[in-house]
Amino acid sequence: VVERRDLQERHAQSEAALETERFKTALLSCVSHDLRTPLAAISTSVGGLIRYREKLSPETQVTMLATIEEQSNRLRDFVEHILNLSRLDAGLSRDDLETVEVNDILTAAIQRIRDAYPARIVRCLIDDRTMLAVAQPQLLQQVFVNILENAVR
């Protein structure tokens, strides 16, 4: 019975390790795509500005510069997401946690989404009661941003 239980535990651990590897592979595939997309847009816009600057109208140049700025911000945010994930994976200590007002963090996350997607209407009804959480403020805000960004997309 003991041997059988040990065998089952080893099998479960093996399955968990295999599932973790599958998840990491899928995540790496998504990450590489999410990094390449803004880099390609930045590279194309910069190349066009360098090669065809004299032939481009001022409006087109402004549009291309806006694309560079937007995609650079997108890339920065994505790298920030990755760094936050690595911090989570490394584990948080109690020193990293503090009592935070959830509504304030959610409001800041909503504003980030509104700034990132000005063409989209983002409405949120927030209960005005005080809600406190023990969390790392930037990571909690990032959770809200991720959820809202998925909803906007």
Side-chain angles (χ1 to χ4, degrees), residues 98-104 129-135 140:
E98 57 187 85
T99 302
V100 295
E101 170 62 57
V102 175
N103 288 351
D104 292 344
R129 289 181 289 163
T130 300
M131 293 185 286
L132 301 176
V134 176
L140 181 58

Side-chain angles (χ1 to χ4, degrees), residues 11 16 34 40 55 151:
H11 179 70
D34 285 344
K55 297 178 184 177

Side-chain angles (χ1 to χ4, degrees), residues 41-153:
I42 293 167
S43 179
T44 301
S45 295
V46 167
L49 285 169
I50 290 170
R51 284 191 225 36
Y52 306 109
R53 181 181 36 220
E54 293 82 24
K55 297 178 184 177
L56 297 172
S57 70
E59 295 82 18
T60 301
Q61 290 181 29
V62 168
T63 299
M64 293 174 85
L65 288 170
T67 297
I68 293 168
E69 180 182 36
E70 176 186 313
Q71 295 302 317
S72 295
N73 290 338
R74 182 175 171 201
L75 191 57
R76 180 203 63 227
D77 291 345
F78 188 71
V79 169
E80 184 180 313
H81 292 290
I82 292 171
L83 293 174
N84 286 337
L85 284 173
S86 69
R87 279 188 226 128
L88 281 176
D89 191 42
L92 292 173
S93 72
R94 291 201 178 271
D95 296 337
D96 296 325
L97 303 176
E98 57 187 85
T99 302
V100 295
E101 170 62 57
V102 175
N103 288 351
D104 292 344
I105 299 212
L106 181 56
T107 300
I110 291 168
Q111 190 57 52
R112 279 181 59 187
I113 293 299
R114 286 180 176 150
D115 292 345
Y117 300 93
R120 303 299 293 247
I121 297 172
V122 179
R123 280 184 261 179
C124 186
L125 299 174
I126 301 175
D127 191 328
D128 55 352
R129 289 181 289 163
T130 300
M131 293 185 286
L132 301 176
V134 176
Q136 203 286 333
Q138 288 127 341
L139 294 179
L140 181 58
Q141 185 182 94
Q142 193 59 56
V143 167
F144 289 143
V145 167
N146 290 351
I147 292 167
L148 293 167
E149 191 169 46
N150 287 340
V152 166
R153 285 184 182 174

